[in-house]
Amino acid sequence: MSQQGEQLVKITVKVNGRTYTHEVPPRMLLVHYIRDVLGLTGTHVGCDTSNCGACTVIMNGKAVKSCTLFAFMADGAEIITVEGLASNGKLHPIQEGFRENHGLQCGFCTPGMIMTLYDFLNRVKRKPSEAEVRRAIEGNLCRCTGYVNIVRSALWAAERMYGGGGGGR
Amino acid sequence: MYPPEFKVLVPSSLEEALKLLKEHGDNAKILAGGHSLIPMMRLRLVKPEVVIYLGKVPGLRYIRENGSTIKIGAMTTHGEIESSSLLAEKNPLLQETASKIGDLQVRNMGTIGGSIAHADPAADYPAALTALEATVVLKSLDGEREVKVDEFIQGPYFTDARPDELLVEVRVPSLSGRFGTAYEKLYFRATDFAIVGVAAYVEVDGGAFSRVRVGLTGVGDKPVRARQVEEELVGREASEASIEKAADLASEGLEPPSDVRASSEYRKKMAEVLTKRALTRALSKAKGG
Ligand SMILES: Cc1cc2nc3c(=O)[nH]c(=O)nc-3n(C[C@H](O)[C@H](O)[C@H](O)COP(=O)(O)OP(=O)(O)OC[C@H]3O[C@@H](n4cnc5c(N)ncnc54)[C@H](O)[C@@H]3O)c2cc1C
Ligand code: FES
Ligand code: FES
């Protein structure tokens, strides 16, 4: 997607551990860079209006909506997408949580949900309360599940990551 | 949805950013976290020819105490303000406000400088910043000036900043003594802007209110202080009964907009209700609750 004569910006981005260098037009959105240029289609576009969170990826450790960033803003950044969570064929506890607890139906919102929870659970470093999980996923919409099993999946994952107990605020 | 073509410039120092601003001024837009500008560009509501990205300018991201003032760099994110232990102790009003903006992802990207410069009449910060009599520092090649936030924000999406000026810092007081603060926000969906937002800051001395500040957002073209409420309360017994009486004055003189989310009447009523709630919670904190 580049018009003739349009400026191109050179960016270097580390995505799921691999370093890429590309020239991109300024108006290319990060989500399109990830999906169309890198071919990582696990990151979805749900609303295109910054509301649904399906496009959430981790940039420098933090969950961001990749439809609301230009690709050039990721220059020099480290990005993790849903494809980068499993290691050595082993699912991340959050992914496992969704599988074990029926945390998805159509699955469209799932990558975004998982990436938001990845930021949140890495940040709290303990098992959170249900209310805290619900607050963390305020920016992620799901049209299928009614959220109950998503929250359950998150709590299951937190227990895997940090052990039981707690319950937070 | 792609915005129309534009040219991006990525300065790597403040000096360079100011030079570019001077050069491109009117045709350029500054890009901070992008969480207001990018949605607007995608809807083609704004079509800048040139975008000057601040992400690589060092030294605009900090929260530090300097005597009785806390200085916050323009590029500090809502999330960093929310999780600042300095602010939690010395300016919990700003910290609570940040925690109620948008959602986790929005707070990870959006910046305080961008929010103030954008001047959305329903943005959250202006309520607290008005109540706190906060200031912003504007910088250009010609120098620097400090402006009170409620003078800086002049109307919807309209500020006192010249095209060659950059908002570089926000200054809020470091609070101490027997004070309490609270921000009450009314919204329909969790990630939404405020329908009405009320920030309260009170100080109590010998059983009476010694200082009261109430700032409102979402009730007009720009944030306002509920001065009638403040004047009514100062010197009165620090009690819920006093608040009950005074809070009804919060809507006096307001002419809030009517839109799809709420009518003008409803907003006026909510200004009173939220003022009461914010003051009550602030008082209970001042009393050590
Ligand atoms: C889904 C969603 C929900 C949201 N919910 C809320 C909410 O509940 N409450 C709320 O208050 N906000 C909300 N916002 C807005 C959010 O807080 C924005 O991040 C903020 O308003 C703008 O900050 P930014 O850093 O993203 O600025 P940008 O979008 O980069 O810039 C905004 C404007 O300010 C100018 N600008 C930016 N930085 C400077 C500077 N240093 N000096 C001079 N001009 C500058 C830009 O040129 C532009 O015109 C929401 C946004 C989204 C996408
Ligand atoms: S596609 Fe990014 S928030 Fe919906
Ligand atoms: S599982 Fe279908 S949208 Fe969430």
Side-chain angles (χ1 to χ4, degrees):
Chain A
M1 195 224 73
S2 162
Q3 304 283 323
Q4 244 193 349
E6 191 171 2
Q7 181 194 7
L8 290 174
V9 191
K10 188 167 162 192
I11 62 169
T12 300
V13 200
K14 197 169 178 182
V15 182
N16 301 332
R18 222 179 117 185
T19 303
Y20 300 88
T21 299
H22 284 105
E23 294 204 316
V24 297
R27 58 181 169 155
M28 175 177 272
L29 297 167
L30 180 59
V31 68
H32 292 133
Y33 176 72
I34 291 171
R35 287 177 57 86
D36 303 344
V37 179
L38 303 186
L40 296 169
T41 53
T43 303
H44 295 162
V45 179
C47 65
D48 223 12
T49 54
S50 315
N51 287 297
C52 75
C55 62
T56 303
V57 300
I58 302 295
M59 183 164 96
N60 296 330
K62 297 200 166 120
V64 298
K65 293 178 176 175
S66 62
C67 76
T68 315
L69 267 82
F70 292 121
F72 70 77
M73 294 166 81
D75 179 42
E78 208 164 304
I79 288 177
I80 307 172
T81 68
V82 71
E83 289 94 339
L85 282 186
S87 60
N88 302 322
K90 214 173 150 287
L91 291 182
H92 186 278
I94 304 174
Q95 294 174 300
E96 218 180 321
F98 273 70
R99 189 174 66 184
E100 292 304 312
N101 294 277
H102 201 72
L104 61 146
Q105 287 177 27
C106 79
F108 197 86
C109 70
T110 315
M113 285 285 179
I114 288 179
M115 299 324 283
T116 301
L117 286 166
Y118 178 87
D119 176 0
F120 169 65
L121 290 177
N122 281 339
R123 217 184 281 205
V124 291
K125 296 190 170 53
R126 58 174 165 78
K127 188 176 175 194
S129 69
E130 181 182 329
E132 286 174 304
V133 172
R134 287 186 180 271
R135 183 171 123 79
I137 56 170
E138 275 170 355
N140 292 78
L141 303 181
C142 176
R143 303 271 88 165
C144 306
T145 64
Y147 301 98
V148 172
N149 285 352
I150 292 177
V151 174
R152 205 171 276 159
S153 307
L155 293 171
W156 187 97
E159 212 162 299
R160 268 298 159 93
M161 293 164 72
Y162 305 120
R169 278 172 281 171
Chain B
M1 282 175 295
Y2 273 93
E5 270 182 50
F6 61 88
K7 187 169 178 242
V8 66
L9 300 170
V10 188
S12 51
S13 71
L14 185 57
E15 180 77 14
E16 191 187 347
L18 295 177
K19 269 189 196 146
L20 291 173
L21 257 186
K22 181 99 182 174
E23 195 178 322
H24 296 279
D26 280 332
N27 301 325
K29 272 275 177 199
I30 293 158
L31 175 65
H35 272 50
S36 292
L37 187 59
I38 296 175
M40 292 211 311
M41 286 175 68
R42 296 173 65 185
L43 294 170
R44 305 199 169 201
L45 294 172
V46 284
K47 302 176 193 171
E49 280 170 34
V50 173
V51 166
I52 301 172
Y53 179 48
L54 288 188
K56 304 248 173 181
V57 174
L60 289 175
R61 218 163 164 160
Y62 54 84
I63 303 175
R64 52 175 176 252
E65 195 175 12
N66 192 324
S68 59
T69 304
I70 297 172
K71 299 180 168 182
I72 305 170
M75 288 293 283
T76 308
T77 64
H78 312 329
E80 285 159 354
I81 290 173
E82 174 185 14
S83 57
S84 155
S85 50
L86 176 67
L87 286 172
E89 187 192 337
K90 298 190 167 162
N91 201 314
L93 184 54
L94 199 67
Q95 187 247 347
E96 184 187 357
T97 302
S99 77
K100 292 185 171 170
I101 295 175
D103 51 52
L104 185 95
Q105 296 97 311
V106 170
R107 294 192 294 274
N108 277 342
M109 281 307 299
T111 68
I112 187 167
S115 177
I116 300 171
H118 188 54
D120 188 310
D124 288 298
Y125 284 128
L129 295 172
T130 305
L132 293 164
E133 297 185 334
T135 60
V136 291
V137 178
L138 303 166
K139 216 172 178 142
S140 70
L141 286 183
D142 303 330
E144 192 181 287
R145 63 190 177 112
E146 188 176 354
V147 189
K148 285 171 80 175
V149 168
D150 57 358
E151 289 165 12
F152 178 72
I153 300 178
Q154 300 196 325
Y157 315 105
F158 183 54
T159 71
D160 179 36
R162 294 194 315 259
D164 66 335
E165 277 181 321
L166 194 66
L167 197 168
V168 290
E169 188 173 273
V170 183
R171 294 182 181 163
V172 296
S174 170
L175 306 177
S176 60
R178 297 200 61 193
F179 74 93
T181 65
Y183 179 58
E184 289 288 333
K185 172 177 182 177
L186 180 72
Y187 53 80
F188 287 141
R189 287 178 323 170
T191 73
D192 277 345
F193 280 82
I195 295 166
V196 177
V198 179
Y201 158 41
V202 305
E203 278 178 30
V204 176
D205 187 16
F209 286 111
S210 52
R211 176 179 279 178
V212 180
R213 300 272 179 69
V214 179
L216 287 81
T217 187
V219 292
D221 283 353
K222 49 178 279 185
V224 289
R225 284 263 295 274
R227 290 188 193 268
Q228 327 79 280
V229 178
E230 300 174 359
E231 281 159 21
E232 171 67 26
L233 279 176
V234 171
R236 296 229 186 251
E237 184 197 5
S239 69
E240 287 192 33
S242 311
I243 292 173
E244 184 86 28
K245 261 182 66 191
D248 285 350
L249 301 173
S251 62
E252 222 173 62
L254 293 183
E255 283 180 40
S258 283
D259 58 29
V260 284
R261 295 194 302 158
S263 68
S264 178
E265 270 302 290
Y266 181 69
R267 280 198 165 89
K268 273 179 104 156
K269 185 67 199 164
M270 287 306 111
E272 298 169 11
V273 171
L274 297 183
T275 297
K276 191 183 304 175
R277 284 186 197 158
L279 282 168
T280 305
R281 196 151 57 82
L283 173 61
S284 107
K285 286 200 207 157
K287 286 180 162 173

